Amino acid sequence: QVQLIESGGGLVPPGGSLRLSCKVSGRALNTYTVGWFRQAPGSEREFVASMKRFNSNPYYDNSVKGRFTMSRDNAKNTVYLQMNTLKPEDTAVYFCAADQQLITSSLRIPSEYDYWGQGTQVTVSS
């Protein structure tokens, strides 16, 4: 059974950093397309970053480019999102997602991902 478990969220002041982790079970990690999404209260779920299966080059939303870094450790079956220079508008529940087939330009669409974690809260104070 495919499982995704996020961790690493918390409360951080503006300009601070957090590293989110997502442990993925079921198959070798590099066989999954993985993504990070976030959802603030009253807002739609928003794309943050993704990494296609068999490809280690991350794709970022412009809102986080240059501040966030997505990576993976295949030996640990874990995906990371290093978040630096955090802003109040980064406050949201962050979700990791995975799919075993997705490699297309639909990476930004949540419904394209079959598997989701439960989310971890990131709060950046003003």
Side-chain angles (χ1 to χ4, degrees):
Q1 192 79 9
V2 177
Q3 288 188 71
L4 286 73
I5 303 175
E6 304 102 327
S7 61
L11 176 64
V12 65
S17 298
L18 285 172
R19 189 178 77 160
L20 306 183
S21 299
C22 175
K23 188 173 183 180
V24 181
S25 64
R27 297 180 182 271
L29 181 59
N30 69 349
T31 68
Y32 295 99
T33 292
V34 293
W36 287 97
F37 293 80
R38 63 189 182 185
Q39 189 164 20
S43 300
E44 64 185 7
R45 190 162 296 186
E46 180 183 58
F47 172 78
V48 176
S50 67
M51 185 178 295
K52 292 180 179 180
R53 64 181 191 150
F54 307 122
N55 189 322
S56 62
N57 187 36
Y59 164 59
Y60 300 100
D61 185 78
N62 286 336
S63 66
V64 305
K65 192 176 297 182
R67 298 189 298 121
F68 291 12
T69 302
M70 185 177 181
S71 62
R72 64 186 175 210
D73 185 334
N74 290 325
K76 295 182 178 180
N77 268 40
T78 301
V79 180
Y80 301 99
L81 185 68
Q82 178 67 46
M83 305 185 295
N84 298 327
T85 319
L86 283 161
K87 305 174 180 179
E89 53 262 45
D90 295 318
T91 296
V93 177
Y94 282 70
F95 299 89
C96 63
D99 193 89
Q100 295 175 338
Q101 298 293 330
L102 180 61
I103 58 171
T104 71
S105 60
S106 298
L107 295 169
R108 302 177 64 90
I109 303 174
S111 62
E112 293 294 318
Y113 294 79
D114 287 339
Y115 308 108
W116 291 84
Q118 294 301 116
T120 185
Q121 177 70 47
V122 172
T123 302
V124 185
S125 63
S126 60

